[in-house]
Amino acid sequence: MAAVEACLDTETQKTEVACPSCGATVYKEDRKISEKFRQFVEKNTESNQVLISAFKDLYNDRSMFVHTGINLHTLYSLRPNRPLILRGKRYQSELPNYYYNIHEYTGFLLRRYFYRQLVCEINDLD
């Protein structure tokens, strides 16, 4: 995900939104990375709906993990070898601790995730 995001255009776009307090029109700057990622996947999978759906789910799960730390562990668990825990702008530990072979584990999870997604979609077609 991060490798693809690094290749995407990160220029900000202005989006018109209504102010929640007064209702006035204001402009919000946004990079719209998730939308650009979706377009990238759609283009490079030749609009394959199974892969588009799988990448969308994976992107959402990855975003929860990376940006908020959701679903990593129970809230107050203390143990070594876990990622940095964020709570708003505060953190529980100063440095994240990772399993040294995290790339192998991540690869395993990705292969397993896509295999399950594809098998479920194929079974639904039968």
Side-chain angles (χ1 to χ4, degrees):
M1 300 292 136
V4 171
E5 282 182 340
C7 297
L8 299 175
D9 175 21
T10 58
E11 193 169 319
T12 59
Q13 299 174 358
K14 288 187 179 183
T15 305
E16 188 176 299
V17 294
C19 174
S21 301
C22 66
T25 300
V26 294
Y27 293 92
K28 173 183 155 188
E29 287 193 351
D30 195 2
R31 297 188 190 281
K32 298 202 178 271
I33 297 296
S34 61
E35 176 62 23
K36 292 173 185 174
F37 183 84
R38 187 195 59 75
Q39 291 171 356
F40 175 88
V41 170
E42 188 173 313
K43 176 183 173 189
N44 290 285
T45 61
E46 299 177 355
S47 298
N48 182 313
Q49 292 304 313
V50 173
L51 291 175
I52 289 171
S53 176
F55 272 104
K56 179 182 177 185
D57 291 343
L58 184 61
Y59 187 88
N60 291 337
D61 290 346
R62 174 251 178 214
S63 293
M64 284 193 298
F65 176 86
V66 170
H67 297 299
T68 64
I70 292 175
N71 295 332
L72 295 179
H73 49 76
T74 59
L75 186 59
Y76 295 105
S77 65
L78 295 173
R79 64 184 186 275
N81 299 325
R82 65 173 178 172
L84 178 66
I85 302 170
L86 300 177
R87 287 199 189 112
K89 295 184 179 180
R90 299 176 183 267
Y91 50 86
Q92 184 167 329
S93 63
E94 292 186 17
L95 295 173
N97 294 312
Y98 292 101
Y99 173 63
Y100 290 112
N101 291 325
I102 192 71
H103 62 283
E104 294 172 6
Y105 186 60
T106 303
F108 166 75
L109 291 175
L110 289 172
R111 288 189 302 275
R112 186 173 175 188
Y113 179 86
F114 276 110
Y115 176 77
R116 285 184 174 177
Q117 289 290 323
L118 294 173
V119 167
C120 288
E121 290 293 330
I122 290 169
N123 288 338
D124 288 344
L125 295 174
D126 290 341

